[in-house]
């Protein structure tokens, strides 16, 4: 059971009024408010009170406060309200909307250059990217938050940043780095004497030891967390720690001890009516029952877990319960029941999958329609500008007819000067337009090349009768296609956009070639990934070459690809390194000759570099290095692309 306790603290205030009386109090406060600032604060404070119990109502109140703040141009308050809106959307698991508000909060904080607020916003953006499973961007923002909070001497934000970085490394299986950052966070929270965060950090450290299967260390830190929670009377927190300790004994196959802690947690959650904890506890107890052969008890506990999942309207947890029923009834030999629940599981799982896919399709369709409208508006604007320019020229010619009276010579000279300037201007415009067209042409050459390989992979999965893999591959392929369509219209994209594209593309290739290679993406912390622009999809052809010609022909399955972005003054170096068989071996490979496959990566990129170097003062460069080991044997390839900031 894999747990990552990345905490996201919501400082909620207990409400002693019912909903109606609270609304009456709000209206009463608004009537006596003397200024817009006071009204904004009233809505803001009431929204914070609703945050823990009713996030949707909190969002409504925050938006009222935001509208007032915008009307009064209170930028600082606008930033803080956007931050709280992001928290509310996180509570509703709407992380995309949360990210929108956190990025807006960060932009507003930068406008007023308030570093303390910028530090908080950076930390929040890192957290939301973590929930969105975009770990490279999450790490990049967390490192920025850490650097700024240390500069400001803000201990609590520094500790939070260490905690986020530790959670990211835990997900990426960098356990030693994860422990190092969690322990740094723990020391700062101890210095602050913040018991709640100290206990949560001990939970995080326990999670690392759980992943390493170091049970004694797991239990030691879980016990530390438990002691603190007992001291501060955090009853629900105690219940969750009981689950962690129970998991440790479950891994040891000490099922009696595991059941004891799971039962203790269950009793706490029943008394507190903590639905999420109850669902987890009933499921864990059912796991123990299943492992010890008590199938009837397992069935009863899954029934309870399913009942709570339905009450929470958590269909994914319902789906998990259906799957558990299948295992139980198969073990009982009741294959009819097992088949019935397998059908229910398959139907719900397909529904959830289709909903996700339909959402992506709607987003792509909306993006397409918006793009089409923008193009139509652009064309109409261009036509209008041409007509306006023509009218102006005609009026200018008419108004200048009187120069004929003053002398034909002056008039001819003036016409020649105007004609020369217009010709030069048109020549420059034509040259620039030609370069843009060539750029788009070269980008369009890349898209069919990648699409062809992806469709072949999907075809292979279908032939092998692997519907689950087909579904995963199509999902990733749809997301990547959407990004490719967006990027193909742009002359440049942010490094942040390129990182997202590369992460999606590499994961797609891992689905295509399971267990064949791993990859890492590293970004120099000094690089501002939000603002620095580079040509789109510049690295993808070389990453594809590394996989297709380098990694895939390795006899073993320890392939590795690293992509690194480094800043040197105003130059961005992009390094793509693989441990494949090398270019020389790839060229001599018999299977490659039989496929008659010719990689277009180098040719296309060189042509793009030629055009880019025409348009920019600082030059783009490409260098390909054949790597060799100590014995002079090919050990892979490194591609180095140097790009000026656009």
């Amino acid at each position: 059971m894999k747990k990552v306790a990345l905490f996201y603290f919501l400082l909620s205030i207990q409400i002693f009024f019912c909903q109606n009386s609270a609304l009456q109090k709000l209206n009463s406060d608004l009537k006596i408010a003397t200024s817009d600032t006071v009204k904004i604060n009233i809505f803001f404070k009431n929204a914070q009170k609703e945050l823990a119990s009713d996030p949707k109502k909190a969002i409504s109140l925050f938006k009222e406060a935001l509208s007032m703040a915008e009307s009064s141009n209170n930028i600082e308050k606008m930033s803080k309200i956007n931050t709280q809106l992001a928290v509310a959307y996180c509570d509703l698991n709407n992380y995309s909307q949360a990210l929108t508000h956190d990025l807006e909060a960060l932009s507003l904080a930068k406008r007023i250059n308030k570093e303390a607020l910028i530090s908080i916003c950076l930390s929040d953006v890192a957290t939301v990217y973590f929930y969105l499973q975009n770990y490279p961007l999450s790490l990049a923002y967390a490192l920025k938050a850490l650097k700024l909070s240390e500069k400001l001497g803000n201990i609590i934000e520094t500790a939070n940043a260490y905690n986020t970085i530790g959670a990211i490394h835990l997900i990426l299986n960098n356990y030693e780095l994860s422990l190092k950052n969690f322990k740094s966070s723990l020391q700062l929270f101890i210095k602050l004497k913040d018991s709640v965060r100290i206990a949560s950090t001990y939970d995080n450290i326990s999670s690392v030891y759980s992943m390493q299967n170091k049970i004694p260390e797991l239990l030691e830190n879980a016990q530390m967390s438990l002691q603190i929670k007992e001291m501060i009377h955090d009853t629900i927190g105690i219940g969750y720690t009981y689950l962690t300790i129970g998991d440790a004994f479950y891994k040891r196959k000490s099922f009696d001890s595991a059941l004891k802690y799971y039962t203790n947690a269950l009793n706490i959650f029943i008394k507190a009516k903590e639905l999420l904890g109850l669902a987890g506890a009933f499921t864990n107890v059912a796991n123990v029952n299943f492992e010890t052969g008590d199938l009837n008890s397992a069935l009863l506990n899954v029934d309870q877990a399913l009942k709570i999942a339905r009450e929470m309207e958590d269909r994914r947890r319902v789906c998990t319960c259906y799957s558990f029923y299948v295992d139980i009834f198969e073990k009982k030999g009741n294959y009819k029941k097992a088949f019935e629940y397998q059908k229910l599981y398959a139907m719900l799982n397909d529904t959830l999958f289709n909903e996700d896919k339909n959402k992506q399709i709607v987003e792509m369709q909306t993006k397409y329609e918006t793009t089409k409208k923008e193009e139509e508006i652009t064309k109409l604007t261009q036509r209008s500008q041409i007509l306006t320019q023509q009218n102006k020229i005609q009026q200018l010619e008419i108004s200048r007819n009187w120069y004929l009276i003053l002398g034909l010579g002056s008039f001819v000279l003036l016409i020649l000067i105007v004609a020369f300037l217009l010709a030069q201007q048109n020549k420059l415009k034509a040259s620039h337009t030609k370069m843009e067209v060539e750029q788009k042409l070269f980008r369009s050459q890349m898209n069919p090349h990648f699409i062809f390989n992806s469709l072949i992979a999907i075809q292979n999965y279908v032939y092998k009768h692997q519907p689950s893999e087909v579904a995963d591959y199509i999902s990733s392929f749809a997301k990547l296609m959407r990004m490719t369509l967006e990027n193909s219209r742009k002359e440049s994209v942010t490094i942040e956009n390129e990182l997202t594209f590369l992460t999606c593309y590499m994961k797609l290739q891992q689905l295509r070639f399971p267990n064949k290679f791993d990859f890492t993406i590293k970004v120099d912390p000094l690089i501002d990934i939000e603002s620095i622009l580079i040509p789109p999809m510049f690295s993808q052809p070389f990453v594809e070459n590394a996989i297709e010609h380098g990694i895939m022909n390795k006899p073993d399955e320890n392939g590795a690809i690293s992509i690194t972005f480094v800043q040197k003054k105003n130059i961005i170096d992009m390094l793509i390194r693989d441990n494949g068989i090398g270019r020389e071996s790839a060229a001599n490979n018999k299977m490659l000759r039989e496929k008659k496959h010719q990689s277009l990566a180098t040719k296309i990129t060189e042509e793009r570099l030629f055009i880019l170097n025409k348009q920019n003062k600082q030059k783009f460069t490409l260098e390909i290095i054949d790597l060799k080991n100590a014995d002079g044997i090919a050990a892979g390839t490194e591609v180095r692309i140097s790009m000026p900031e656009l």
Side-chain angles (χ1 to χ4, degrees), residues 33-90:
T34 58
S35 67
D36 288 340
T37 301
V38 173
K39 290 181 179 180
I40 292 169
N41 289 333
I42 291 172
F43 273 108
F44 187 78
K45 289 178 181 178
N46 278 279
Q48 285 184 312
K49 290 179 181 180
E50 297 288 350
L51 195 55
S53 60
D54 192 349
K56 290 183 178 179
K57 184 176 180 182
I59 287 170
S60 178
L61 292 171
F62 279 131
K63 286 185 176 180
E64 289 282 353
L66 182 60
S67 178
M68 292 182 182
E70 289 172 344
S71 297
S72 59
N73 199 30
N74 189 334
I75 296 177
E76 181 178 352
K77 204 66 179 180
M78 287 162 60
S79 177
K80 291 179 179 179
I81 295 170
N82 272 289
T83 298
Q84 292 300 302
L85 276 167
V87 172
Y89 279 113
C90 279

Side-chain angles (χ1 to χ4, degrees), residues 3-5 166-167 169-171 174-180 182 201-214 217-218 251:
K3 294 183 180 178
V4 179
H169 284 303
L170 176 55
I171 287 291
N174 300 326
Y175 300 128
E176 295 306 319
L177 283 174
S178 180
L179 276 176
K180 178 182 177 182
F182 280 144
T201 308
Y202 275 124
D203 287 336
N204 291 345
I205 294 172
S206 299
S207 298
V208 180
Y209 287 128
S210 176
M211 296 300 295
Q212 292 179 308
N213 209 28
K214 293 182 178 180
E217 291 86 347
L218 186 161
K251 287 188 174 186

Side-chain angles (χ1 to χ4, degrees), residues 393-402:
I393 292 172
Q394 290 174 357
Q395 291 174 6
L396 182 62
E397 290 175 349
I398 293 171
S399 66
R400 289 177 179 175
N401 283 337
W402 67 273

Side-chain angles (χ1 to χ4, degrees), residues 298-315:
L299 195 59
L300 291 174
N301 283 296
V302 176
D303 287 341
Q304 292 297 320
L306 178 61
K307 180 181 177 182
I308 294 167
R310 285 172 172 165
E311 185 177 348
M312 295 168 62
E313 298 181 353
D314 187 341
R315 292 186 296 167

Side-chain angles (χ1 to χ4, degrees), residues 145-208:
L146 177 61
K147 182 179 178 181
L148 185 54
S149 60
E150 286 181 332
K151 171 189 170 183
L152 298 173
N154 189 329
I155 297 178
I156 189 168
E157 288 301 325
T158 302
N160 284 340
Y162 275 126
N163 191 78
T164 303
I165 294 168
I168 296 166
H169 284 303
L170 176 55
I171 287 291
L172 298 177
N173 300 328
N174 300 326
Y175 300 128
E176 295 306 319
L177 283 174
S178 180
L179 276 176
K180 178 182 177 182
N181 282 279
F182 280 144
K183 288 179 179 179
S184 296
S185 176
L186 179 63
Q187 291 174 1
L188 293 174
F189 286 140
I190 290 173
K191 185 177 179 180
L192 292 168
K193 298 181 181 180
D194 189 330
S195 299
V196 173
R197 286 176 166 87
I198 292 170
S200 295
T201 308
Y202 275 124
D203 287 336
N204 291 345
I205 294 172
S206 299
S207 298
V208 180

